[in-house]
């Protein structure tokens, strides 16, 4: 049961003007409601910035889809992912932040204030923090789209349960692939991990656990070329990159962990992106557009940890506050009337 | 003073400092299967440990005391096998594959080091301090206490470390004059209580150490306590005062710092010496935000894991491959 201490004298009332309407001018609009966006919101709310978070349709972000989080600091017994997500959301609400389960469909970072369109409303922000995260990358092989959500998945936590006493294939060789492969052995009869390289990228703890797990076997230097099936998935066609041999691995489910795709389509042409589509920022989380900051996995191809995302969210919010002049109630400054 | 313990255990990672950066780093390295030792001066020796109410650590609406937040992170690190030792880094030898850290209790050896010592270092010395260092002035009662058997000593400080060291000194010294820069101690209640009730300890509240007096060796200290200047004869002075400088003195210039004394690291939190990383307030990037220090600790730890496993190839058990292609 989630226990929150709402009686603290630190409890802030919403900043003045927060109730100003469904749409309107905000000191800060946060795009994305994962650990980065919500930490930014906690910091901004505490600094009494009028703050709106467009959480998207998975409020709490990736933790909401995660079984157990063991490595977010200060939770010695671990914490269920959905509970951690709820804690972040509640924490932001406590500081008077407005949370909307909505997402941007179009942004204009050339206008001042910045303009954010969703399918329902238009919002204006003096500053914006982009924390839209990253989504699992697809393989791009025949059968993948057709069976996605019906035998092909990127979320063992969500779908593993369906494969009790069945055989599954996991594609990938990093931490996610091995961790989720190990998780799947709770349900599946056999887990075949298919990885295109001849070595695993995953950290030692996962490699050792996976290698010691009798339900897991490896196909290294091997790629999936097609996901097979009639009405449901029946297996994958694989090819060994060293020998060129092909074969079929029978399976009822396929879990794909071949990396992440940053969610930056909306910002192309406005924010500087790197060759992989991640938003480019400096150490202070600033983008090429003054007043637009970035935090979390959308700018982090390397770490992708909850605490690291949260840390960048805190920095982004403090930088946004600095950008606004450091004054808690910027709406009282001349020339900042709502459009 | 520095005795090499030849039997010292070799750890994969030695973390210096157990605040949010160090403890999170240890949580990550221990969970990654690396043997991890944290050298730390105590729960309230750092900036977070002495902070009252934290309300902006995400996911923990609080208010929670800084010490409790640190305690939770340490417990989490320990649950994955990280070991903690109550000691202070006094000297380091960082080049080569075996990094050596000397503390008051001996030498610690690690394949990699994460420096997370924070930024509560002192800004300036007291007149006489540098001149008489090693001649009665010390920063380590565990190391030097035995030299002051049946002598009078002064201890300057107010945190857990200062109190613990003063209590160590009571085993040797005839009288411990405790000069607290604040009116009240900022130490754990049980330690503070033990110190205040100790028959050999004289407590001076709001005491500012002005000078350490002596020609060849320490002879006296001059200080102002509650507005009154006093000079008392002592033969030893143990200093645990805090300021706002990054704590790097034990490195003796082995690592490059900025002009303001902050350790310099690359984008993966590695210092100029391979295998030596740093995180948290000692970098002076974003001071005093627990979640940011923790984030840096996690990143440094993941970089350490890559450093230690970088060239290691996986040798899979081919007998487990059962699929004929």
């Amino acid at each position: 049961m989630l226990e929150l201490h709402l009686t603290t004298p630190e409890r802030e009332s919403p900043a003045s003007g927060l109730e100003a309407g469904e749409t309107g001018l905000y000191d800060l609009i946060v795009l994305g409601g994962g650990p980065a966006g919500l930490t930014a919101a906690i910091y901004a709310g505490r600094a009494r910035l009028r703050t709106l978070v467009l959480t998207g349709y998975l409020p709490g972000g990736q933790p909401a889809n995660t079984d157990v989080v063991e490595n977010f600091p200060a939770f010695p017994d671990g914490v269920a992912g959905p509970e951690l997500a709820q804690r972040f959301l509640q924490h932001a609400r406590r500081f008077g932040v407005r949370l909307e389960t909505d997402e941007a469909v179009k942004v204009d970072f050339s206008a001042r204030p910045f303009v954010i369109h969703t399918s329902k409303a238009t919002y204006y922000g003096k500053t914006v923090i982009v924390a839209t995260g990253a989504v699992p990358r697809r393989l791009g092989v025949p059968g993948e789209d057709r069976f996605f959500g019906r035998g092909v998945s990127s979320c063992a936590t969500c779908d593993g349960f369906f494969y009790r006493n069945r055989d599954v294939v996991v594609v990938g060789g990093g931490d996610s692939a091995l961790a989720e492969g190990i998780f799947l052995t709770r349900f599946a009869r056999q887990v075949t991990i298919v990885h295109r390289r001849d070595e695993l990228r995953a950290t030692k703890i996962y490699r050792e656990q996976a290698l010691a797990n009798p339900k897991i076997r490896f196909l290294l230097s091997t790629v999936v070329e097609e996901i097979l099936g009639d009405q449901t998935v029946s297996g994958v066609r694989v090819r060994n990159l060293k020998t060129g041999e092909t074969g079929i691995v029978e399976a009822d489910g396929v879990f794909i962990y071949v990396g992440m795709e940053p969610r930056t389509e909306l910002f192309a042409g406005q924010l500087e992106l790197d060759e992989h589509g991640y938003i480019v920022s400096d150490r202070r989380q600033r983008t090429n557009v003054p007043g637009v900051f970035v935090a979390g996995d959308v700018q982090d191809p390397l770490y992708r940890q909850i605490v690291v995302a949260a840390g960048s969210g805190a920095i982004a919010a403090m930088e946004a506050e600095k950008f606004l002049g450091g004054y808690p109630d910027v709406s009282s400054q001349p020339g900042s009337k709502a459009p | 003073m520095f005795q090499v313990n030849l039997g010292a255990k070799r750890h994969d990672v030695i973390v210096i400092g157990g605040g949010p950066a160090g403890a999170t780093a240890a949580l990550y390295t221990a969970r990654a299967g690396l043997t991890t030792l944290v050298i730390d001066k105590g729960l309230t020796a750092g900036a977070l440990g002495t902070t009252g109410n934290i309300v902006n650590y995400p996911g923990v609406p609080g208010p929670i005391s800084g010490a409790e937040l640190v305690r939770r992170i340490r417990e989490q690190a320990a649950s994955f096998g990280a070991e903690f030792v109550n000691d202070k880094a006094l000297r380091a030898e960082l080049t080569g594959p075996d990094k050596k850290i000397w503390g008051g209790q001996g030498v610690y050896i690690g394949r990699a080091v994460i420096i997370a010592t924070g930024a509560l270092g002192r800004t300036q010395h007291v007149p006489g301090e540098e001149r008489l260092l090693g001649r009665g002035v010390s920063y380590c009662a565990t190391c030097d206490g035995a030299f002051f058997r049946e002598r009078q000593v002064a201890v300057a400080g107010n945190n857990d470390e200062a109190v613990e060291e003063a209590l160590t000194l009571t085993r040797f010294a005839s009288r411990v004059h405790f000069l607290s820069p604040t009116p009240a101690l900022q130490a754990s209640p049980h330690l503070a209580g033990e110190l205040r009730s100790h028959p050999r300890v004289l407590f001076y509240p709001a005491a500012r150490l002005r000078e350490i007096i002596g020609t060849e060796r320490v002879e006296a200290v001059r200080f102002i306590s509650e507005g009154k200047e006093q000079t008392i004869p002592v033969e030893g002075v143990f200093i645990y005062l805090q300021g706002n400088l990054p704590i790097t003195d034990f490195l003796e210039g082995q690592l490059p710092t900025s002009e303001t004394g902050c350790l310099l690291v690359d984008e993966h939190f590695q210092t100029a010496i391979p295998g030596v990383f740093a995180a948290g307030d000692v970098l002076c990037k974003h001071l005093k935000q627990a979640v940011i220090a923790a984030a840096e600790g996690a990143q440094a730890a993941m970089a350490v894991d890559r450093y230690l496993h970088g060239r290691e190839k996986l040798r899979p058990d081919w007998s487990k491959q059962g699929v004929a292609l």
Side-chain angles (χ1 to χ4, degrees):
Chain A
M1 190 60 196
L2 197 60
E3 197 190 337
L4 293 171
H5 307 277
L6 295 173
T7 50
T8 161
E10 286 279 343
R11 172 75 169 89
E12 259 109 305
S13 58
S16 61
L18 188 69
E19 318 73 359
E22 285 304 301
T23 62
L25 178 66
Y26 290 87
D27 294 329
L28 169 64
I29 297 177
V30 180
L31 306 180
L38 291 172
T39 301
I42 289 163
Y43 269 74
R46 181 129 199 276
R48 300 181 66 86
L49 303 183
R50 284 176 305 160
T51 304
L52 168 71
V53 182
L54 300 176
T55 64
Y57 298 104
L58 185 63
Q62 289 185 66
N65 253 351
T66 305
D67 183 28
V68 174
V69 176
E70 285 187 337
N71 59 6
F72 186 67
F75 289 85
D77 303 320
V79 57
E83 185 194 327
L84 187 61
Q86 281 307 313
R87 284 177 156 269
F88 274 89
L89 290 161
Q90 301 251 24
H91 199 162
R93 271 192 209 104
R94 186 184 144 190
F95 287 125
V97 168
R98 181 177 169 194
L99 302 173
E100 287 292 329
T101 314
D102 197 356
E103 65 183 9
V105 295
K106 195 178 160 214
V107 300
D108 187 349
F109 291 156
S110 63
R112 296 292 180 278
F114 303 121
V115 187
I116 311 291
H117 299 277
T118 74
S119 53
K120 299 173 198 160
T122 300
Y123 301 99
Y124 301 88
K126 294 176 191 170
T127 60
V128 168
I129 293 175
V130 177
T132 46
V135 293
R137 185 171 286 143
R138 302 274 184 101
L139 293 173
V141 300
E144 184 181 30
D145 285 346
R146 186 157 68 94
F147 289 116
F148 207 92
R150 296 188 301 130
V152 176
S153 170
S154 58
C155 180
T157 309
C158 319
D159 301 331
F161 184 76
F162 302 121
Y163 298 94
R164 199 171 285 279
N165 293 321
R166 309 275 195 95
D167 295 337
V168 298
V169 164
V170 171
V171 188
D175 276 355
S176 298
L178 266 61
E180 301 298 319
I182 293 161
F183 174 78
L184 284 165
T185 61
R186 296 188 203 175
F187 309 102
R189 189 172 55 190
Q190 182 162 60
V191 176
T192 304
I193 296 178
V194 180
H195 184 46
R196 66 195 156 95
R197 298 189 192 281
D198 64 359
E199 61 180 17
L200 300 169
R201 229 171 355 100
T203 46
K204 193 175 164 192
I205 189 172
Y206 290 123
R207 295 193 313 245
E208 287 179 353
Q209 282 178 20
L211 286 168
N213 192 311
K215 285 186 169 184
I216 294 179
R217 60 177 185 168
F218 290 92
L219 287 179
L220 300 182
S221 306
T222 301
V223 291
V224 169
E225 291 198 316
E226 187 180 356
I227 293 167
L228 307 166
D230 189 6
Q231 292 301 310
T232 58
V233 169
S234 63
V236 295
R237 187 158 54 77
V238 294
R239 184 164 59 88
N240 185 304
L241 292 172
K242 286 192 171 158
T243 64
E245 287 175 283
T246 60
I248 287 171
V249 180
E250 291 184 4
D252 306 292
V254 180
F255 289 84
I256 298 168
Y257 294 100
V258 292
M260 307 295 284
E261 193 94 52
R263 298 189 56 207
T264 52
E265 323 77 50
L266 230 49
F267 315 110
Q270 301 194 63
L271 296 182
E272 189 188 337
L273 308 179
D274 73 10
E275 54 185 337
H276 302 293
Y278 289 90
I279 295 172
V280 175
S281 67
D282 64 10
R283 279 195 171 185
R284 290 164 60 183
Q285 306 306 130
R286 297 179 295 190
T287 69
N288 58 308
V289 178
V292 177
F293 304 87
V294 63
D297 286 4
V298 74
Q299 47 94 60
D300 172 18
L302 195 56
Y303 297 102
R304 303 195 321 252
Q305 299 297 304
I306 297 173
V307 66
V308 176
S312 68
I315 295 170
M318 291 194 295
E319 290 295 328
E321 190 191 351
K322 232 184 269 176
F323 181 85
L324 288 163
Y327 298 102
D329 187 6
V330 288
S331 65
S332 62
Q333 288 174 46
S336 63
K337 286 201 166 71
Chain B
M1 185 169 171
F2 301 112
Q3 198 177 358
V4 179
N5 177 359
L6 292 171
K9 187 172 147 194
R10 185 166 173 260
H11 303 269
D12 289 331
V13 188
I14 289 177
V15 181
I16 308 173
T24 298
L27 155 63
Y28 266 78
T29 55
R31 188 162 181 269
L34 302 171
T35 57
T36 301
L37 177 75
V38 183
I39 302 172
D40 185 80
K41 298 193 291 186
L43 210 51
T44 63
L48 184 58
T50 52
T51 305
N53 289 335
I54 311 270
V55 295
N56 58 4
Y57 185 83
V60 184
I64 180 174
S65 74
E68 171 61 12
L69 192 60
V70 176
R71 193 198 61 73
R72 287 194 196 177
I73 305 175
R74 290 185 184 193
E75 184 186 335
Q76 198 169 353
S79 79
F80 291 107
E83 292 174 58
F84 288 78
V85 58
N86 197 317
D87 203 347
K88 171 155 105 172
L90 297 168
R91 214 184 100 202
E93 199 178 286
L94 300 173
T95 49
D98 280 350
K99 323 289 185 195
K100 298 189 187 74
I101 311 291
W102 280 266
Q105 297 171 33
V107 66
Y108 307 98
I109 302 173
R111 297 166 64 206
V113 170
I114 299 174
I115 298 165
T117 43
L120 291 185
R122 293 167 63 210
T123 43
Q124 53 190 15
H125 293 282
V126 177
E129 178 180 348
E130 284 168 292
R131 188 168 53 84
L132 295 167
L133 180 62
R135 299 166 175 209
V137 174
S138 170
Y139 308 117
C140 179
T142 316
C143 318
D144 300 332
F147 298 124
F148 299 92
R149 208 173 287 277
E150 296 307 317
R151 314 282 169 92
Q152 296 210 24
V153 299
V155 174
N158 62 1
N159 61 2
D160 275 9
E161 184 194 13
V163 174
E164 283 180 7
E165 294 278 273
L167 290 171
T168 299
L169 286 166
T170 59
R171 300 208 310 264
F172 307 104
S174 56
R175 175 72 78 195
V176 175
H177 300 275
F178 195 97
L179 314 179
S180 168
T182 46
L185 288 169
Q186 292 181 356
S188 316
H190 72 278
L191 282 175
E194 199 181 331
L195 184 85
R196 296 299 300 268
S197 64
H198 199 287
R200 291 197 196 179
V201 175
L202 267 181
F203 184 78
Y204 301 83
R208 282 202 192 159
L209 186 57
R210 288 296 193 195
E211 187 186 356
I212 299 168
I213 300 164
T215 44
E216 288 301 309
R217 293 194 55 85
V218 170
E219 293 163 18
V221 285
R222 185 167 62 83
F223 61 96
I224 296 171
S225 175
E226 293 183 315
K228 204 176 81 189
E229 185 168 300
Q230 311 183 41
T231 301
I232 50 172
V234 294
E235 294 181 45
V237 184
F238 292 80
I239 301 174
Y240 306 97
L241 297 168
Q242 296 180 328
N244 54 10
L245 267 192
I247 297 176
T248 59
D249 49 353
F250 68 100
L251 298 169
E252 297 168 309
Q254 286 176 80
L255 293 173
T257 61
S258 71
E259 278 178 18
T260 48
C262 311
L263 282 185
L264 299 174
V265 291
D266 67 15
E267 58 178 325
H268 302 303
F269 295 88
Q270 187 163 232
T271 67
I273 298 180
V276 179
F277 298 76
D281 283 1
V282 74
L283 306 178
C284 328
K285 289 205 291 190
H286 302 275
L287 285 179
K288 291 183 179 169
Q289 295 303 314
V291 68
I292 298 173
E296 291 181 359
Q299 292 172 82
M302 290 169 77
V304 164
D305 189 56
R306 279 196 303 275
Y307 167 81
L308 291 177
H309 288 121
R311 287 172 294 269
E312 190 179 289
K313 298 259 183 193
L314 175 79
R315 292 202 170 70
D317 175 3
W318 292 100
S319 67
K320 287 182 74 182
Q321 303 228 334
V323 180
L325 286 181

